[in-house]
Every structure is written in structure tokens, then in C-alpha cells.
Amino acid sequence: MAKSVVLLDCWPSMFGMRVRIALAEKGIDYEYREEDLRNKSPLLLKMNPVHKKVPVLIHDNKPVCESLIAVRYIDAVWKNKFPLLPSDPYQRAQAEFWADFVDKKIFDSGRKVWASKGEDQEAGKKEFVECLKVLEGELGDKPYFGGEAFGFVDVALVPFYSWFYAYETCGKFSIEAECPKLIAWAKRCMEKESVAKSLPDQHKVYDFVLMLKQKFGLD
Amino acid sequence: MAEPVKLFGVWASPFSWRVETALKLKGVKYEFIEEDLTNKSDLLVKYNPVHKKIPVLLHKGKPICESLVILEYIDETWKGISILPEDPYERAIARFWAKFIDEKCNHALWTACWSKDNEQEKAIEEACEFLKTLETQLKGNKFFGGETIGFVDIVANFIGFWLGIIQEAVGLELLTVEKFPNLCKWIDNYVNCPVIKANLPPRDELLAYFKARQQPPTGPKY
């Protein structure tokens, strides 16, 4: 590996996007390697033998797996530039709590929205919207979850924005109608170069979701 | 005078136990508030409105929720024995294994203990795969943290103590010395480690607690 920082990733992965954003925020030069998850590279299997998943951050040949763990690692190692986590332990605990909430709630309920039908889908939509509303409540009138500055919770959540069009179209609902402040927050984040260049186009994600639905007989 | 540290928990819960262990490791005095999860207190709901779960640590009147988040908070707030490694890479590795144990292993083990028939067979198979991964990770070390207990060992408490008791309560033999010699040796080191030993809930009472339940408490996080 020529560069000291390598990211094994997959373009539609919200988890990979988190790491891309963190690396961009810190201005870190790295090599991006796209993985084909139907044909995982020997490097991926070697670097993440436990889960065999992306993203994997490789720094000086040492792997860091799990997206939020990788983001925290990046924040600790490149600590002098644009801190993502607060320095105060209590504020940091709050940021970790909310990032954990995103991890536990948004992916699974979002998946039910695009991958299921009928009652299951309705239940998924309800849970998904409820969780987004809880997050919207936590955001309040702040510009970012981190307060005045973009931070850890923003990094954890904003990648899901690239999937919103897919969720809305599959689920036949409007996220903006349910959570207008959250959409305003997402658009504010998208004005940042680190976010805009790390998230794929929402329509491209939708096409990917349609392909998945067809492949797994979910349509 | 400093406001007392309070911990909302349940005596039988491995999750609030993790927090107690960390506080004791740091020599922090605290007040333990026993919650009745069938009748949650107004204070618990006030301090953890999102999940309404224990444990909740209250420090200077401010709540911290989720056991792994609380452990890191305790490590940063109070000096003394380090729970997490100093080096950022070692910390990332510790967090990885703690997450693996907390999310994958514990869930699979819990399901394996309490499910029946086909579901149980499948759950046992999955749980054994995860235990094999941990068996390899231990590599004959005394603890996951090396020579002394650390973050991963504290988080692995369900395997360290609760699993053996639940196995006895439901009549299941999952973690045997033949299949998992490293893990069994680790359990032995773990329960005999002074701060752990002094803090464990009484074995007989815990056994009776699990035997008495016709159904398991709702999910591993209770």
C-alpha cells in the first residue's frame, strides 16, 4: 500500500460515508478502495476477519473496523484539526449516546421501509419517523447536533440523508413533511464540502435500492 | 460538598454491574438506587427518557445513559486505574471487542439460553461461533486487557459470570472447558480478581432469580 491511510468501502454504505466525511474534515490524504461485496477482496477478509464488512480504515497497515470506532480513532489521531468530539467528558458522553441511538435505530427501521411491504413496511415507517422525530427534538434550534460546529453525531446521521429519497419513494411518504427541521439540518450539512463530496446522489442510491429489491425478490 | 454520584440499576443486571465495577475500580463512592423495572420510577424516566432503561449514572445532577458510554465517561472523569488503553489504536481495538461482545455475543448467548427446539439449535450454533472468535482472541492471555482487567473484560461480564448461572438455571451446557479452554481459564481469573470478586452478586440468589422466571426478562437489556 502506497498511502499510509486506506479506506475499504462501498459507495452506497452510510457507514463508509461516515469515515469519508471524517477523513475529509481532517484533510487527510487517503486511498479509497471500492469493494464488491459479492466478491470480497483478500485484503478485506484479512483486515476484518470477524465481520468481513466495510468500512475498514487501514492506517499504517493496521485495520480499524466499525464506522464510529474509526471516526473516533481519526478524531484522536488527527486531534489538532477540526475536532469532531467535544473535549468535555459529559458533552462527549452525550455525543456518544446519540451516535449510538442512530446506530441502533435508524438503519434497521430504514431497512424495513425499503425492503418490506404491507404491515411490516408500515411498522417500519412508523418506527423510522418516530426515531427521526426524537433526533429532531435533540437537535432543537441548534445548527448542528454538535452545537455551533459540525460534530460526531452529525457525522453519524447525515449519511442516511443520501438514502432519504429511496426511503420516501419506497415507503410513499415525505420525510420533510414529518421532520422539516431535520431536513433543514441535512441541507446545512450538505453545504459543507466534506459532506457533499462524501455522499452519493440520492437518485443513484434509489437505483441501487431498486436493483437490490429486484435481486432479492423484494418488489 | 460534592453532589453524590448515583447509579440507577438492578442488582441482577449485568449492565448496571459493569458501571458499579468501574466506579469501584476508580474508588468512587456512589449511591445505588434499585429500580423495579415492572414499575419504573419517575426519576428513571426523567433521566433516561429516550430508552427508559438502566443503568443511568447521575453525576453532578446530570445523567449519562448506556453502559459502554458510562464506562468511558467514568474512565475520563476519575483518575486512578485506567479502564481503556491510552494509545488511540489500542483503544479502537478495545472498543471493537467490547462492541462485538455487547451486540453480537451477548444477544446470541441470551437467545441460545432462552429459546427452544429449532430456534435454540440455531442460536447455539451462532453463539458457539462467536465464542470461538473470543477464544482465539484471548490467545492464552490472562485477561482481554492483558495482565490486568480492562474495558473488554468488564463488558464481557455476562460471559464471565452470568452465563454460567443461566446455563445451570435452564439446563444448558454451552461454554465447556473442552470446547473453550482459554475462555474457561479467563472466567476463573475473572471471578477471582479481587475487585470483581468483591462486587459480584450472590451466586445462589442470581441462580434462584433465573430459575424462578418462566420467561426470560424482556431481552438481554433489562
Side-chain angles (χ1 to χ4, degrees):
Chain A
M1 279 175 266
K3 290 193 178 159
S4 72
V5 180
V6 178
L7 177 63
L8 305 182
D9 197 352
C10 191
W11 72 264
S13 163
M14 308 89 160
F15 306 102
M17 289 173 219
R18 289 167 168 176
V19 188
R20 284 174 235 166
I21 295 170
L23 289 166
E25 278 287 300
K26 304 282 187 175
I28 298 164
D29 188 27
Y30 69 99
E31 181 193 342
Y32 178 95
R33 289 203 199 177
E34 181 72 20
E35 281 285 331
D36 176 358
L37 298 181
R38 296 160 298 186
N39 186 19
K40 292 173 182 178
S41 72
L43 184 63
L44 174 59
L45 298 177
K46 176 182 166 192
M47 291 291 167
N48 192 357
V50 175
H51 300 300
K52 304 176 179 61
K53 283 180 173 173
V54 293
V56 180
L57 179 78
I58 308 173
H59 183 210
D60 294 334
N61 292 318
K62 294 188 294 186
V64 181
C65 307
E66 297 298 311
S67 60
L68 292 180
I69 295 176
V71 171
R72 292 176 77 183
Y73 173 78
I74 291 165
D75 201 43
V77 173
W78 286 272
K79 58 177 178 269
N80 295 324
K81 286 183 161 194
F82 300 107
L84 291 168
L85 276 145
S87 50
D88 171 68
Y90 183 75
Q91 297 303 329
R92 191 153 54 239
Q94 297 312 298
E96 286 163 21
F97 173 87
W98 286 106
D100 176 71
F101 178 86
V102 173
D103 251 8
K104 285 190 164 85
K105 302 283 191 182
I106 304 298
F107 181 80
D108 285 341
S109 58
R111 191 173 197 284
K112 280 186 211 163
V113 173
W114 71 259
S116 58
K117 289 185 280 201
E119 268 176 40
D120 282 346
Q121 189 184 48
E122 285 310 304
K125 268 164 69 178
K126 186 164 177 272
E127 197 191 338
F128 183 70
V129 169
E130 260 165 29
C131 293
L132 287 185
K133 285 188 169 164
V134 170
L135 286 164
E136 203 179 42
E138 170 57 23
L139 177 67
D141 292 321
K142 303 194 297 287
Y144 301 105
F145 283 92
E148 290 303 309
F150 182 78
F152 189 59
V153 182
D154 305 283
V155 174
L157 182 62
V158 80
F160 289 90
Y161 180 65
S162 66
W163 280 65
F164 276 12
Y165 178 74
Y167 292 142
E168 287 174 319
T169 313
C170 294
K172 297 184 178 44
F173 70 122
S174 160
I175 297 174
E176 184 152 21
E178 302 279 356
C179 305
K181 275 186 167 173
L182 207 64
I183 298 296
W185 159 82
K187 288 180 177 168
R188 191 176 304 125
C189 292
M190 288 295 286
E191 287 171 10
K192 292 177 67 63
E193 197 190 332
S194 62
V195 177
K197 74 177 189 182
S198 301
L199 266 57
D201 173 68
Q202 293 201 37
H203 289 85
K204 197 176 169 199
V205 171
Y206 177 61
D207 288 341
F208 172 75
V209 167
L210 284 181
M211 185 273 295
L212 282 182
K213 280 164 76 91
Q214 203 179 53
K215 182 178 167 186
F216 294 109
L218 300 166
D219 48 7
Chain B
M1 186 168 131
E3 221 182 295
V5 175
K6 295 184 185 180
L7 173 61
F8 293 82
V10 168
W11 74 272
S13 163
F15 302 99
S16 48
W17 181 90
R18 289 170 176 172
V19 180
E20 284 198 275
T21 301
L23 290 168
K24 290 195 166 134
L25 267 171
K26 296 282 192 180
V28 177
K29 287 192 170 44
Y30 63 97
E31 181 192 339
F32 187 87
I33 298 162
E34 180 77 24
E35 275 288 324
D36 173 2
L37 296 181
T38 61
N39 185 18
K40 291 173 184 177
S41 72
D42 292 340
L43 277 180
L44 177 62
V45 175
K46 173 186 167 186
Y47 290 130
N48 192 356
V50 175
H51 299 302
K52 303 178 179 61
K53 285 180 174 170
I54 57 98
V56 177
L57 184 77
L58 204 64
H59 182 219
K60 296 181 185 172
K62 295 192 286 190
I64 303 111
C65 310
E66 293 298 305
S67 63
L68 265 59
V69 175
I70 300 172
L71 289 182
E72 295 220 26
Y73 176 80
I74 290 170
D75 202 31
E76 284 171 47
T77 303
W78 285 282
K79 293 196 194 331
I81 295 173
S82 281
I83 294 171
L84 275 141
E86 289 290 321
D87 173 69
Y89 186 73
E90 296 303 318
R91 285 168 92 92
I93 298 302
R95 286 173 181 148
F96 173 87
W97 287 107
K99 187 178 160 128
F100 175 74
I101 289 166
D102 198 45
E103 290 179 12
K104 298 280 187 194
C105 292
N106 284 353
H107 181 80
L109 288 166
W110 186 262
T111 310
C113 288
W114 296 105
S115 56
K116 300 269 181 281
D117 311 314
N118 283 341
E119 201 196 336
Q120 188 178 41
E121 250 181 69
K122 213 173 139 220
I124 289 172
E125 212 182 290
E126 193 185 39
C128 282
E129 281 308 308
F130 292 141
L131 289 176
K132 268 190 218 157
T133 304
L134 289 180
E135 175 79 9
T136 311
Q137 180 57 22
L138 263 173
K139 302 183 260 258
N141 282 336
K142 195 170 176 197
F143 298 108
F144 287 101
E147 276 304 300
T148 53
I149 60 158
F151 189 59
V152 181
D153 303 281
I154 297 175
V155 174
N157 61 328
F158 183 80
I159 299 169
F161 187 67
W162 272 256
L163 180 60
I165 296 171
I166 296 176
Q167 283 189 154
E168 192 179 322
V170 303
L172 180 72
E173 245 189 47
L174 197 66
L175 211 165
T176 60
V177 71
E178 294 80 28
K179 280 200 252 170
F180 304 106
N182 284 349
L183 270 172
C184 287
K185 191 141 181 278
W186 169 79
I187 290 172
D188 202 46
N189 291 331
Y190 193 63
V191 299
N192 285 306
C193 172
V195 75
I196 304 282
K197 194 172 183 171
N199 190 31
L200 286 170
R203 196 184 195 279
D204 292 344
E205 283 179 43
L206 208 54
L207 182 60
Y209 175 88
F210 285 114
K211 272 188 171 163
R213 305 186 96 82
Q214 297 301 323
Q215 298 245 21
T218 48
K221 275 194 148 62
Y222 60 94

